[in-house]
Amino acid sequence: MNALISKTIGTRYGEKDISVYAQDIVDIREPIDVMTVSAFLHGYNPSPDTLMGALYGRGIDVRELAASPQIDLRESSNIWLSREITGAQLPIGRIGCIEMTRFQGRNCKGKGDEGQIIASIQAYFHMLHIASLSGIPVETVGLPILGGGHQMVDVAMTAVPTINECLRFLRANEYVKHIRIISRNQSQAYQFAKSLERSYSTQQAGQSLVSRQNSDRSRSVFISYSSGDRNIADNLCAKLEAAGLKVWYAPRNIHSTDYASAIVNAITQCTDFVVIISKNSLQSHHVLNEIDLAFQELNRNIRFCPLKIDEEEMGPAFRYYLSRQHWMDAHIPPLEKRLEEFTASIAGACDGR
């Protein structure tokens, strides 16, 4: 298989890699220890134009494998791992299944629960970790783009967090050495390839800056916002700087044509990450990407400071990152007073560090 992109990951267990392919899973020739499939709850029928149907045509009946899996966590997490496959026409050792319980297929109109995708991947990787510790060969994992088929999940909302979960798993697990993300949908595959490039570059930049990010650095506030809320971001920036804080926000602080690198560097160096949550930002992939970058910095105690300026309900992808963060509601007028209160809380927290 020729990968769209492949990245080598340095870990304490040696070098590993993650790759993205625009290819039909059933055309694979490279051995895969565990091929992941997603299904609706107990939906294993080999229907035409589905992965289950394609596997069935190659001698792999997922219905039979589901009847007696080697690891069965469906009751608690809706995931399972099959016994070893024999006699198939594909170089697949086992099937690992993630069952999507909250989707309604074509009736969901693209509004699938992206948050469930990420939670399911986390649980699935925990199962693979258990399997590898139990002596089950799990060196190469095939991963389709979950939810991108009949579940109709917005792949743009799941690409970055999915890639980041894969990177974290490769670093944490001793036995898995290769993750192959595979999709016959070229558009979705390219979306994941771009996300891998972005996340890999972000983490490499973050590692190179760790030594410079110590406790005696000055306080620095990064403001993440949608362009539709530019006037509020400008107002907030002025108040924070009047309180004596160093503030970085785009486009004011970008002094080169490399917009993405400037964002990455600013987030990896900030001490406080402010994100303005609104109807506008909840529809912005750029804001979600910035939140994900900041989320990766939690291990160095970056402080999340969400400011919610309207009553728009956060979607699953945003809840995944912000549900455990304390945010301030600023939708009750007057907004000017709410911004002053928010500024005081940021400045006070910085003084108390």
Side-chain angles (χ1 to χ4, degrees), residues 221-225 229-249 252 272-277 305-309 328 330 335-347:
V221 179
F222 181 99
I223 300 180
S224 174
Y225 69 99
D229 301 318
R230 174 66 184 272
N231 61 325
I232 296 175
D234 289 342
N235 192 344
L236 179 59
C237 176
K239 293 183 185 304
L240 290 169
E241 290 183 332
L245 301 176
K246 179 181 177 182
V247 178
W248 194 103
Y249 78 127
R252 186 193 68 174
D272 297 82
F273 179 83
V274 170
V275 55
I276 297 175
I277 302 296
C305 308
L307 177 67
K308 203 165 184 300
I309 62 173
M328 178 175 176
L335 178 60
E336 187 73 12
K337 182 173 177 57
R338 302 289 85 81
L339 294 180
E340 291 173 356
E341 293 170 349
F342 184 73
T343 298
S345 70
I346 300 296

Side-chain angles (χ1 to χ4, degrees), residues 4-54:
L4 295 177
I5 185 173
S6 184
K7 291 295 184 181
T8 300
I9 313 299
T11 78
R12 58 177 174 168
Y13 305 114
E15 289 191 344
K16 304 185 177 186
D17 60 79
I18 177 172
S19 308
V20 179
Y21 298 85
Q23 185 171 348
D24 198 318
I25 288 177
V26 298
D27 291 332
I28 62 172
R29 298 293 179 265
E30 176 184 317
I32 291 181
D33 296 304
V34 177
M35 175 58 74
T36 311
V37 301
S38 63
F40 294 114
L41 189 63
H42 307 310
Y44 315 129
N45 289 329
S47 304
D49 197 34
T50 66
L51 179 55
M52 301 299 180

Side-chain angles (χ1 to χ4, degrees), residues 162-180:
T162 297
I163 289 292
N164 288 336
E165 288 302 326
C166 290
L167 293 172
R168 292 183 187 110
F169 177 65
L170 284 175
R171 291 191 172 96
N173 181 273
E174 179 179 357
Y175 303 96
V176 177
K177 296 181 180 179
H178 318 285
I179 292 181
R180 310 289 187 235

Side-chain angles (χ1 to χ4, degrees), residues 198-270:
R198 184 165 54 247
S199 292
Y200 181 82
S201 299
T202 297
Q203 295 194 13
Q204 291 298 103
Q207 290 173 6
S208 68
L209 290 169
V210 165
S211 61
R212 292 156 49 190
Q213 297 168 342
N214 48 49
S215 59
D216 63 358
R217 71 189 186 280
S218 61
R219 303 274 71 84
S220 176
V221 179
F222 181 99
I223 300 180
S224 174
Y225 69 99
S226 164
S227 58
D229 301 318
R230 174 66 184 272
N231 61 325
I232 296 175
D234 289 342
N235 192 344
L236 179 59
C237 176
K239 293 183 185 304
L240 290 169
E241 290 183 332
L245 301 176
K246 179 181 177 182
V247 178
W248 194 103
Y249 78 127
R252 186 193 68 174
N253 293 91
I254 295 180
H255 306 296
S256 70
T257 57
D258 192 349
Y259 188 98
S261 292
I263 293 287
V264 169
N265 290 335
I267 292 177
T268 54
Q269 294 181 72
C270 77

Side-chain angles (χ1 to χ4, degrees), residues 55-73:
L55 291 173
Y56 184 78
R58 301 298 196 280
I60 299 177
D61 191 336
V62 179
R63 295 171 300 183
E64 292 182 358
L65 296 174
S68 59
Q70 184 154 355
I71 299 178
D72 191 351
L73 300 177

